Coordinates of all heavy atoms in Angstrom, one line a residue:
M257 N -23.2 15.9 -31.9 CA -22.4 16.7 -30.9 C -22.2 16.0 -29.6 O -23.2 15.4 -29.1 CB -23.3 18.0 -30.7 CG -22.5 19.0 -29.8 SD -23.4 20.6 -29.7 CE -24.6 20.2 -28.5
S258 N -21.1 16.0 -29.1 CA -20.9 15.4 -27.8 C -20.4 16.4 -26.8 O -19.5 17.3 -27.1 CB -19.9 14.3 -27.9 OG -18.6 14.8 -28.1
L259 N -21.0 16.4 -25.7 CA -20.7 17.3 -24.6 C -19.9 16.5 -23.5 O -20.3 15.3 -23.3 CB -21.9 17.9 -23.9 CG -22.7 18.9 -24.8 CD1 -24.0 19.2 -24.1 CD2 -21.9 20.1 -24.9
K260 N -19.0 17.1 -22.9 CA -18.2 16.4 -21.9 C -18.3 17.2 -20.6 O -18.0 18.3 -20.6 CB -16.8 16.2 -22.4 CG -16.0 15.3 -21.6 CD -14.7 15.0 -22.3 CE -13.6 14.5 -21.4 NZ -13.8 13.1 -20.9
N261 N -18.7 16.5 -19.5 CA -18.7 17.1 -18.2 C -17.4 16.9 -17.5 O -17.1 15.8 -17.1 CB -19.9 16.6 -17.4 CG -20.0 17.2 -16.1 OD1 -19.2 18.1 -15.7 ND2 -20.9 16.8 -15.3
Y262 N -16.6 17.9 -17.4 CA -15.3 17.8 -16.8 C -15.3 17.6 -15.3 O -14.4 17.1 -14.7 CB -14.4 18.9 -17.2 CG -13.7 18.6 -18.5 CD1 -14.3 19.0 -19.7 CD2 -12.5 17.9 -18.5 CE1 -13.8 18.6 -20.9 CE2 -12.0 17.5 -19.8 CZ -12.6 17.9 -20.9 OH -12.1 17.5 -22.1
M263 N -16.5 17.9 -14.7 CA -16.6 17.7 -13.2 C -16.5 16.2 -12.9 O -16.0 15.8 -11.9 CB -17.9 18.3 -12.7 CG -17.8 19.7 -12.4 SD -16.3 20.3 -11.6 CE -16.8 20.1 -9.9
E264 N -16.9 15.4 -13.9 CA -16.9 14.0 -13.7 C -15.5 13.5 -13.5 O -15.2 12.7 -12.6 CB -17.5 13.3 -15.0 CG -18.2 12.1 -14.7 CD -18.9 11.6 -16.0 OE1 -19.8 12.3 -16.5 OE2 -18.6 10.5 -16.5
E265 N -14.6 14.0 -14.3 CA -13.2 13.6 -14.1 C -12.6 14.0 -12.8 O -11.9 13.3 -12.1 CB -12.3 14.1 -15.2 CG -12.5 13.3 -16.5 CD -11.7 13.8 -17.7 OE1 -10.7 14.5 -17.4 OE2 -12.0 13.5 -18.8
V266 N -13.0 15.3 -12.4 CA -12.5 15.8 -11.2 C -13.0 15.0 -10.0 O -12.2 14.6 -9.1 CB -12.9 17.3 -11.0 CG1 -12.4 17.9 -9.7 CG2 -12.3 18.2 -12.2
V267 N -14.3 14.7 -10.0 CA -14.9 14.0 -8.9 C -14.3 12.6 -8.8 O -14.0 12.1 -7.7 CB -16.4 13.9 -9.1 CG1 -17.1 12.8 -8.3 CG2 -17.1 15.3 -8.8
V268 N -14.1 11.9 -9.9 CA -13.6 10.5 -9.9 C -12.2 10.6 -9.3 O -11.8 9.7 -8.5 CB -13.6 9.9 -11.3 CG1 -12.7 8.6 -11.4 CG2 -15.0 9.6 -11.8
E269 N -11.4 11.5 -9.7 CA -10.0 11.6 -9.3 C -10.0 11.9 -7.7 O -9.3 11.3 -7.0 CB -9.4 12.8 -10.0 CG -7.9 12.9 -9.9 CD -7.3 14.1 -10.6 OE1 -7.8 14.4 -11.7 OE2 -6.6 14.8 -9.9
I270 N -10.8 12.8 -7.3 CA -10.8 13.2 -5.9 C -11.4 12.0 -5.1 O -10.9 11.7 -4.0 CB -11.6 14.5 -5.7 CG1 -10.8 15.6 -6.2 CG2 -12.0 14.7 -4.2 CD1 -11.4 17.0 -6.2
F271 N -12.4 11.4 -5.6 CA -13.0 10.2 -4.9 C -11.9 9.1 -4.7 O -11.8 8.6 -3.6 CB -14.1 9.6 -5.7 CG -14.7 8.3 -5.1 CD1 -15.1 8.2 -3.8 CD2 -14.7 7.2 -5.9 CE1 -15.5 7.0 -3.3 CE2 -15.2 6.0 -5.4 CZ -15.6 5.9 -4.1
Q272 N -11.1 8.9 -5.7 CA -10.0 7.9 -5.5 C -9.0 8.3 -4.4 O -8.6 7.4 -3.6 CB -9.3 7.7 -6.8 CG -10.1 6.7 -7.7 CD -9.7 6.8 -9.2 OE1 -8.9 7.6 -9.6 NE2 -10.4 5.9 -10.0
E273 N -8.7 9.6 -4.3 CA -7.8 10.0 -3.2 C -8.5 9.8 -1.9 O -7.9 9.3 -0.9 CB -7.5 11.5 -3.4 CG -6.5 11.8 -4.5 CD -6.4 13.3 -4.8 OE1 -6.8 14.1 -3.9 OE2 -6.0 13.6 -5.9
V274 N -9.8 10.3 -1.8 CA -10.5 10.3 -0.5 C -10.7 8.8 0.0 O -10.6 8.5 1.2 CB -11.8 11.1 -0.6 CG1 -12.6 10.9 0.6 CG2 -11.5 12.5 -0.8
R275 N -11.0 8.0 -1.0 CA -11.4 6.6 -0.6 C -10.1 5.9 0.0 O -10.3 5.1 0.9 CB -11.8 5.8 -1.9 CG -12.5 4.6 -1.5 CD -12.9 3.8 -2.7 NE -11.7 3.6 -3.6 CZ -11.8 3.2 -4.8 NH1 -12.9 2.9 -5.4 NH2 -10.7 3.0 -5.5
G276 N -9.0 6.3 -0.4 CA -7.7 5.7 0.2 C -7.6 6.1 1.7 O -7.0 5.3 2.4
M277 N -8.2 7.2 2.1 CA -8.2 7.5 3.5 C -9.3 6.9 4.3 O -9.3 7.0 5.5 CB -8.2 9.1 3.6 CG -7.0 9.8 3.0 SD -7.2 11.6 3.3 CE -7.8 12.1 1.7
H278 N -10.3 6.5 3.6 CA -11.5 5.8 4.3 C -11.5 4.4 3.9 O -12.3 3.9 3.1 CB -12.8 6.5 3.8 CG -12.9 7.9 4.2 ND1 -13.3 8.3 5.5 CD2 -12.7 9.1 3.6 CE1 -13.3 9.6 5.6 NE2 -12.9 10.1 4.4
T279 N -10.6 3.6 4.6 CA -10.5 2.2 4.2 C -11.7 1.4 4.6 O -11.9 0.3 4.1 CB -9.2 1.6 4.8 OG1 -9.1 2.0 6.1 CG2 -8.0 2.1 4.0
D280 N -12.5 1.9 5.5 CA -13.7 1.2 5.9 C -14.9 1.3 4.9 O -15.9 0.7 5.1 CB -14.1 1.6 7.3 CG -14.3 3.1 7.5 OD1 -13.7 3.9 6.7 OD2 -15.1 3.5 8.3
F281 N -14.7 2.2 4.0 CA -15.8 2.4 3.0 C -15.9 1.2 2.1 O -14.9 0.7 1.6 CB -15.6 3.7 2.2 CG -16.7 4.0 1.3 CD1 -17.9 4.4 1.7 CD2 -16.5 3.8 -0.1 CE1 -19.0 4.6 0.8 CE2 -17.5 4.0 -1.0 CZ -18.8 4.4 -0.5
C282 N -17.1 0.8 1.9 CA -17.4 -0.3 1.0 C -16.8 -0.1 -0.4 O -16.9 1.0 -0.9 CB -18.9 -0.6 0.9 SG -19.3 -1.8 -0.3
N283 N -16.2 -1.1 -0.9 CA -15.5 -0.9 -2.2 C -16.2 -1.5 -3.4 O -15.6 -1.7 -4.4 CB -14.1 -1.5 -2.0 CG -13.1 -0.9 -3.0 OD1 -13.3 0.1 -3.5 ND2 -12.0 -1.7 -3.3
C284 N -17.5 -1.9 -3.2 CA -18.2 -2.5 -4.3 C -18.5 -1.4 -5.3 O -18.6 -0.3 -5.0 CB -19.4 -3.3 -3.8 SG -20.9 -2.3 -3.5
E285 N -18.8 -1.9 -6.5 CA -19.0 -1.0 -7.6 C -20.2 -0.1 -7.4 O -20.2 1.1 -7.8 CB -19.1 -1.8 -8.9 CG -18.9 -0.9 -10.1 CD -18.9 -1.6 -11.5 OE1 -18.5 -2.8 -11.4 OE2 -19.2 -1.0 -12.5
K286 N -21.2 -0.7 -6.8 CA -22.5 0.1 -6.6 C -22.2 1.3 -5.7 O -22.7 2.4 -6.0 CB -23.5 -0.8 -6.1 CG -24.9 -0.3 -6.3 CD -26.0 -1.4 -6.1 CE -27.4 -0.9 -6.3 NZ -27.8 -0.7 -7.6
C287 N -21.5 1.0 -4.6 CA -21.3 2.1 -3.7 C -20.4 3.2 -4.3 O -20.6 4.4 -4.1 CB -20.7 1.6 -2.4 SG -21.9 0.7 -1.4
N288 N -19.3 2.7 -5.0 CA -18.5 3.7 -5.7 C -19.2 4.5 -6.7 O -19.1 5.8 -6.7 CB -17.4 2.9 -6.5 CG -16.3 2.3 -5.5 OD1 -16.2 2.8 -4.4 ND2 -15.6 1.3 -6.0
R289 N -20.1 3.9 -7.5 CA -20.9 4.7 -8.4 C -21.9 5.6 -7.7 O -22.1 6.7 -8.2 CB -21.7 3.7 -9.3 CG -20.9 3.1 -10.5 CD -21.8 2.1 -11.1 NE -21.0 1.4 -12.1 CZ -20.8 1.8 -13.4 NH1 -21.4 2.9 -13.8 NH2 -20.1 1.2 -14.2
D290 N -22.4 5.2 -6.7 CA -23.4 6.0 -5.9 C -22.7 7.3 -5.4 O -23.3 8.3 -5.5 CB -24.0 5.2 -4.7 CG -25.2 4.4 -5.1 OD1 -25.6 4.5 -6.3 OD2 -25.7 3.6 -4.3
V291 N -21.5 7.1 -4.9 CA -20.8 8.3 -4.4 C -20.5 9.3 -5.5 O -20.8 10.5 -5.4 CB -19.4 7.9 -3.7 CG1 -18.6 9.1 -3.4 CG2 -19.7 7.1 -2.5
I292 N -20.1 8.8 -6.6 CA -19.7 9.7 -7.7 C -21.0 10.3 -8.3 O -21.0 11.6 -8.5 CB -19.0 8.9 -8.9 CG1 -17.6 8.5 -8.3 CG2 -18.9 9.7 -10.1 CD1 -16.9 7.5 -9.1
A293 N -22.1 9.6 -8.4 CA -23.4 10.1 -8.9 C -23.9 11.2 -7.9 O -24.4 12.3 -8.3 CB -24.4 9.0 -9.1
Y294 N -23.8 10.9 -6.6 CA -24.3 11.8 -5.6 C -23.5 13.1 -5.6 O -24.1 14.2 -5.6 CB -24.3 11.1 -4.2 CG -24.8 12.0 -3.1 CD1 -26.2 11.8 -2.7 CD2 -24.1 12.9 -2.4 CE1 -26.7 12.5 -1.7 CE2 -24.6 13.7 -1.4 CZ -25.9 13.5 -1.0 OH -26.5 14.3 0.0
A295 N -22.2 12.9 -5.7 CA -21.3 14.1 -5.7 C -21.6 15.0 -6.9 O -21.7 16.2 -6.8 CB -19.9 13.7 -5.6
L296 N -21.7 14.3 -8.0 CA -22.0 15.1 -9.3 C -23.3 15.8 -9.2 O -23.4 16.9 -9.8 CB -21.9 14.2 -10.5 CG -20.5 13.8 -11.0 CD1 -20.6 12.8 -12.1 CD2 -19.8 15.1 -11.5
S297 N -24.3 15.2 -8.6 CA -25.6 15.9 -8.5 C -25.6 17.1 -7.7 O -26.4 18.0 -7.8 CB -26.7 14.9 -8.0 OG -26.5 14.6 -6.7
K298 N -24.6 17.2 -6.8 CA -24.5 18.4 -5.9 C -23.7 19.5 -6.6 O -23.6 20.6 -6.1 CB -23.7 18.0 -4.6 CG -24.5 17.0 -3.7 CD -25.4 17.8 -2.9 CE -26.4 16.9 -2.3 NZ -27.5 17.6 -1.6
L299 N -23.0 19.1 -7.6 CA -22.1 20.1 -8.3 C -22.7 20.6 -9.6 O -23.4 19.9 -10.2 CB -20.7 19.5 -8.5 CG -19.9 19.1 -7.3 CD1 -18.9 18.0 -7.6 CD2 -19.3 20.3 -6.7
K300 N -22.3 21.8 -10.0 CA -22.7 22.3 -11.3 C -21.9 21.6 -12.3 O -20.6 21.5 -12.2 CB -22.4 23.8 -11.4 CG -23.7 24.6 -11.3 CD -23.4 26.1 -11.7 CE -22.8 26.8 -10.5 NZ -22.2 28.1 -10.9
G301 N -22.5 21.1 -13.4 CA -21.8 20.5 -14.4 C -20.9 21.5 -15.2 O -21.3 22.7 -15.3
R302 N -19.8 21.1 -15.6 CA -18.9 22.0 -16.4 C -18.7 21.3 -17.7 O -17.9 20.3 -17.8 CB -17.6 22.3 -15.7 CG -17.9 23.2 -14.5 CD -16.7 23.3 -13.6 NE -17.1 23.8 -12.3 CZ -17.1 25.1 -12.0 NH1 -16.7 26.0 -12.9 NH2 -17.5 25.6 -10.9
Y303 N -19.3 21.8 -18.8 CA -19.3 21.1 -20.0 C -18.5 21.8 -21.1 O -18.4 23.0 -21.2 CB -20.8 21.0 -20.6 CG -21.7 20.2 -19.7 CD1 -22.5 20.8 -18.7 CD2 -21.6 18.8 -19.8 CE1 -23.3 20.0 -17.9 CE2 -22.4 18.0 -19.0 CZ -23.2 18.6 -18.0 OH -24.0 17.9 -17.2
A304 N -17.8 20.9 -21.8 CA -17.0 21.4 -22.9 C -17.6 20.9 -24.2 O -17.9 19.7 -24.3 CB -15.6 21.0 -22.8
A305 N -17.9 21.8 -25.2 CA -18.5 21.3 -26.4 C -17.6 21.5 -27.6 O -17.8 21.0 -28.7 CB -19.8 22.0 -26.6
S306 N -16.6 22.3 -27.4 CA -15.7 22.6 -28.6 C -14.2 22.4 -28.1 O -14.0 22.3 -26.9 CB -15.9 24.0 -29.0 OG -15.5 24.9 -28.0
L307 N -13.3 22.4 -29.1 CA -11.9 22.3 -28.7 C -11.5 23.4 -27.8 O -10.8 23.2 -26.8 CB -11.1 22.4 -30.0 CG -9.6 21.9 -29.8 CD1 -9.6 20.5 -29.3 CD2 -8.9 22.0 -31.2
E308 N -12.0 24.6 -28.1 CA -11.7 25.8 -27.2 C -12.3 25.6 -25.8 O -11.7 25.8 -24.8 CB -12.3 27.0 -27.8 CG -11.7 28.3 -27.3 CD -12.3 29.5 -28.0 OE1 -12.5 29.5 -29.2 OE2 -12.7 30.5 -27.2
G309 N -13.5 25.1 -25.8 CA -14.2 24.8 -24.5 C -13.4 23.7 -23.8 O -13.3 23.7 -22.5
E310 N -12.9 22.8 -24.5 CA -12.1 21.7 -23.8 C -10.9 22.2 -23.1 O -10.5 21.8 -22.0 CB -11.7 20.7 -24.9 CG -11.4 19.3 -24.3 CD -11.4 18.2 -25.3 OE1 -12.3 18.2 -26.2 OE2 -10.5 17.4 -25.3
V311 N -10.2 23.1 -23.8 CA -9.0 23.7 -23.2 C -9.4 24.5 -22.0 O -8.8 24.4 -20.9 CB -8.3 24.7 -24.2 CG1 -7.2 25.4 -23.6 CG2 -7.8 23.8 -25.4
M312 N -10.5 25.3 -22.1 CA -10.9 26.0 -20.9 C -11.3 25.1 -19.7 O -11.0 25.3 -18.6 CB -12.2 26.8 -21.2 CG -12.0 28.0 -22.2 SD -11.0 29.3 -21.5 CE -12.2 29.9 -20.3
A313 N -12.0 24.0 -20.1 CA -12.4 23.0 -19.0 C -11.2 22.4 -18.4 O -11.2 22.2 -17.2 CB -13.3 22.0 -19.6
R314 N -10.1 22.1 -19.1 CA -8.9 21.5 -18.6 C -8.3 22.5 -17.6 O -7.7 22.1 -16.6 CB -7.9 21.2 -19.7 CG -8.3 19.9 -20.3 CD -7.3 19.3 -21.2 NE -7.8 18.2 -22.0 CZ -8.0 17.0 -21.5 NH1 -7.7 16.8 -20.2 NH2 -8.5 16.1 -22.3
V315 N -8.3 23.8 -17.9 CA -7.7 24.8 -17.0 C -8.6 24.8 -15.7 O -8.0 24.8 -14.6 CB -7.7 26.2 -17.7 CG1 -7.3 27.3 -16.7 CG2 -6.7 26.2 -18.9
E316 N -9.9 24.8 -15.9 CA -10.8 24.8 -14.8 C -10.6 23.6 -13.9 O -10.8 23.7 -12.7 CB -12.2 25.0 -15.2 CG -12.9 26.2 -14.7 CD -14.3 26.3 -15.1 OE1 -15.0 25.3 -15.2 OE2 -14.7 27.5 -15.4
Q317 N -10.3 22.5 -14.5 CA -10.2 21.2 -13.8 C -9.1 21.3 -12.7 O -9.2 20.7 -11.7 CB -9.7 20.2 -14.8 CG -10.3 18.8 -14.5 CD -10.0 17.9 -15.7 OE1 -10.0 18.3 -16.8 NE2 -9.8 16.6 -15.4
S318 N -8.1 22.2 -12.9 CA -7.0 22.3 -11.9 C -7.3 23.5 -11.0 O -6.4 23.8 -10.2 CB -5.7 22.4 -12.6 OG -5.7 23.5 -13.5
D319 N -8.4 24.2 -11.2 CA -8.7 25.3 -10.4 C -8.9 24.9 -8.9 O -9.6 24.0 -8.6 CB -10.0 26.0 -11.0 CG -10.3 27.3 -10.2 OD1 -10.9 27.2 -9.2 OD2 -9.9 28.3 -10.8
R320 N -8.3 25.6 -8.0 CA -8.4 25.3 -6.6 C -9.8 25.3 -6.1 O -10.2 24.4 -5.3 CB -7.6 26.3 -5.7 CG -6.1 26.2 -5.9 CD -5.5 27.2 -5.0 NE -5.2 26.6 -3.7 CZ -4.0 26.1 -3.4 NH1 -3.1 26.1 -4.2 NH2 -3.8 25.6 -2.2
Q321 N -10.6 26.3 -6.5 CA -12.0 26.4 -6.0 C -12.8 25.2 -6.5 O -13.6 24.6 -5.8 CB -12.6 27.7 -6.4 CG -13.9 28.0 -5.7 CD -13.9 27.9 -4.1 OE1 -13.0 28.5 -3.6 NE2 -14.7 27.1 -3.5
V322 N -12.6 24.9 -7.8 CA -13.3 23.8 -8.4 C -13.0 22.5 -7.6 O -13.9 21.7 -7.3 CB -13.0 23.6 -9.9 CG1 -13.5 22.3 -10.4 CG2 -13.5 24.8 -10.7
R323 N -11.8 22.3 -7.3 CA -11.4 21.1 -6.6 C -11.9 21.1 -5.1 O -12.3 20.0 -4.6 CB -9.9 20.9 -6.6 CG -9.3 20.8 -8.0 CD -7.9 20.4 -8.1 NE -7.6 19.0 -7.8 CZ -7.7 18.1 -8.7 NH1 -8.0 18.4 -9.9 NH2 -7.5 16.8 -8.4
A324 N -11.9 22.2 -4.5 CA -12.4 22.3 -3.1 C -13.9 22.0 -3.1 O -14.3 21.3 -2.2 CB -12.1 23.7 -2.6
D325 N -14.6 22.5 -4.1 CA -16.1 22.2 -4.1 C -16.3 20.7 -4.3 O -17.2 20.1 -3.7 CB -16.7 23.0 -5.3 CG -16.8 24.5 -5.0 OD1 -16.6 24.9 -3.8 OD2 -17.1 25.2 -5.9
A326 N -15.5 20.2 -5.2 CA -15.6 18.7 -5.6 C -15.3 17.9 -4.3 O -16.0 16.9 -4.0 CB -14.7 18.4 -6.7
L327 N -14.3 18.3 -3.6 CA -13.9 17.5 -2.4 C -15.0 17.5 -1.4 O -15.4 16.5 -0.8 CB -12.6 18.1 -1.8 CG -12.1 17.5 -0.5 CD1 -11.7 16.0 -0.7 CD2 -10.9 18.2 0.1
L328 N -15.6 18.7 -1.1 CA -16.7 18.8 -0.2 C -17.9 17.9 -0.6 O -18.5 17.1 0.2 CB -17.3 20.2 -0.1 CG -16.6 21.1 0.9 CD1 -17.2 22.5 0.8 CD2 -16.8 20.6 2.3
A329 N -18.2 17.9 -1.9 CA -19.3 17.1 -2.4 C -19.0 15.6 -2.3 O -19.9 14.8 -1.9 CB -19.6 17.4 -3.9
V330 N -17.8 15.2 -2.5 CA -17.4 13.8 -2.4 C -17.4 13.3 -0.9 O -17.9 12.2 -0.6 CB -15.9 13.6 -3.0 CG1 -15.4 12.2 -2.6 CG2 -16.0 13.7 -4.5
M331 N -17.0 14.2 0.0 CA -17.0 13.8 1.4 C -18.5 13.6 1.9 O -18.8 12.7 2.6 CB -16.4 14.9 2.3 CG -15.0 15.3 1.9 SD -13.8 14.2 2.6 CE -13.5 15.1 4.1
E332 N -19.3 14.5 1.4 CA -20.7 14.4 1.8 C -21.3 13.2 1.2 O -22.1 12.5 1.8 CB -21.5 15.7 1.3 CG -22.8 15.8 1.9 CD -23.6 17.0 1.2 OE1 -23.0 18.0 0.9 OE2 -24.8 16.8 1.1
A333 N -21.0 12.9 0.0 CA -21.5 11.7 -0.7 C -21.0 10.4 0.0 O -21.8 9.5 0.2 CB -21.0 11.7 -2.2
L334 N -19.8 10.4 0.4 CA -19.2 9.2 1.1 C -20.0 9.0 2.3 O -20.4 7.8 2.7 CB -17.8 9.5 1.4 CG -16.7 8.9 0.6 CD1 -15.3 9.3 1.1 CD2 -16.8 7.4 0.5
E335 N -20.2 10.0 3.1 CA -20.9 9.9 4.4 C -22.4 9.4 4.1 O -22.8 8.5 4.8 CB -21.0 11.3 5.0 CG -21.2 11.2 6.5 CD -21.1 12.6 7.2 OE1 -20.0 13.2 6.9 OE2 -22.0 13.0 7.9
T336 N -23.0 10.0 3.2 CA -24.4 9.6 2.9 C -24.5 8.2 2.4 O -25.4 7.4 2.9 CB -25.0 10.5 1.8 OG1 -24.8 11.9 2.2 CG2 -26.5 10.3 1.5
V337 N -23.6 7.8 1.5 CA -23.7 6.4 0.9 C -23.3 5.4 2.0 O -23.9 4.3 2.1 CB -22.8 6.3 -0.3 CG1 -22.7 4.9 -0.8 CG2 -23.4 7.2 -1.4
S338 N -22.3 5.7 2.8 CA -21.9 4.7 3.8 C -23.0 4.5 4.9 O -23.1 3.5 5.5 CB -20.5 5.0 4.4 OG -20.6 6.3 5.1
K339 N -23.8 5.6 5.2 CA -24.9 5.4 6.1 C -26.0 4.7 5.5 O -26.9 4.1 6.2 CB -25.4 6.8 6.5 CG -24.7 7.4 7.7 CD -25.3 8.7 8.1 CE -24.4 9.6 8.9 NZ -24.7 11.0 8.7
N340 N -26.1 4.7 4.2 CA -27.3 4.2 3.5 C -26.9 3.4 2.3 O -27.3 3.7 1.2 CB -28.2 5.3 3.1 CG -29.6 5.1 3.6 OD1 -30.0 4.0 3.7 ND2 -30.3 6.2 3.8
P341 N -26.1 2.4 2.4 CA -25.6 1.6 1.2 C -26.8 0.9 0.5 O -27.7 0.4 1.2 CB -24.6 0.6 1.8 CG -24.9 0.5 3.2 CD -25.6 1.7 3.7
R342 N -26.7 0.9 -0.8 CA -27.8 0.3 -1.6 C -27.4 -1.0 -2.2 O -28.0 -1.5 -3.1 CB -28.2 1.3 -2.7 CG -28.8 2.6 -2.2 CD -29.6 3.3 -3.3 NE -28.7 3.7 -4.3 CZ -29.1 3.8 -5.6 NH1 -30.3 3.6 -5.9 NH2 -28.2 4.1 -6.5
H343 N -26.3 -1.6 -1.7 CA -25.8 -2.8 -2.3 C -26.6 -4.0 -1.6 O -27.2 -3.8 -0.6 CB -24.3 -3.0 -2.1 CG -23.8 -2.8 -0.7 ND1 -22.7 -2.2 -0.4 CD2 -24.4 -3.2 0.5 CE1 -22.5 -2.2 0.9 NE2 -23.6 -2.7 1.5
Ligands
ZN673 ZN1 -21.2 -1.6 -1.4

């Protein structure tokens, strides 16, 4: 059985948008991964386990509130990681 966390896709997508606005943010792979991991740990996972679940998750992926929550988590993660880079 494979579970898929759709928040991961939302966070990655939003991170790419936000990073474009923060050109001073370190672009190394470690910092990028840290931001995504940190943001995901702040958010509730949204898992799809079936085809039906997958369709539901895709709908949720475009939900405004879901994206707003993800954006907040990504911004917080960017701030935290740029203050404390682990590279
Ligand atoms: Zn870095």
Side-chain angles (χ1 to χ4, degrees):
M257 184 173 81
S258 74
L259 291 170
K260 193 168 160 68
N261 182 1
Y262 275 88
M263 278 317 269
E264 212 172 299
E265 281 178 23
V266 176
V267 164
V268 169
E269 195 187 310
I270 288 175
F271 172 55
Q272 278 161 357
E273 283 169 25
V274 171
R275 199 183 50 190
M277 294 182 263
H278 294 279
T279 45
D280 53 335
F281 182 71
C282 174
N283 203 21
C284 79
E285 196 175 335
K286 201 164 178 75
C287 290
N288 286 341
R289 278 171 187 277
D290 275 354
V291 171
I292 290 163
Y294 184 94
L296 279 172
S297 73
K298 294 275 162 187
L299 294 158
K300 253 193 280 168
R302 288 167 196 270
Y303 296 96
S306 63
L307 195 57
E308 198 180 317
E310 197 164 321
V311 173
M312 293 293 290
R314 283 192 189 285
V315 171
E316 238 180 39
Q317 214 172 327
S318 59
D319 186 277
R320 290 181 90 95
Q321 190 56 50
V322 168
R323 299 186 78 82
D325 290 348
L327 178 63
L328 273 177
V330 168
M331 305 275 270
E332 194 187 324
L334 260 178
E335 202 173 310
T336 305
V337 173
S338 62
K339 272 186 201 153
N340 233 330
R342 294 195 301 151
H343 52 220

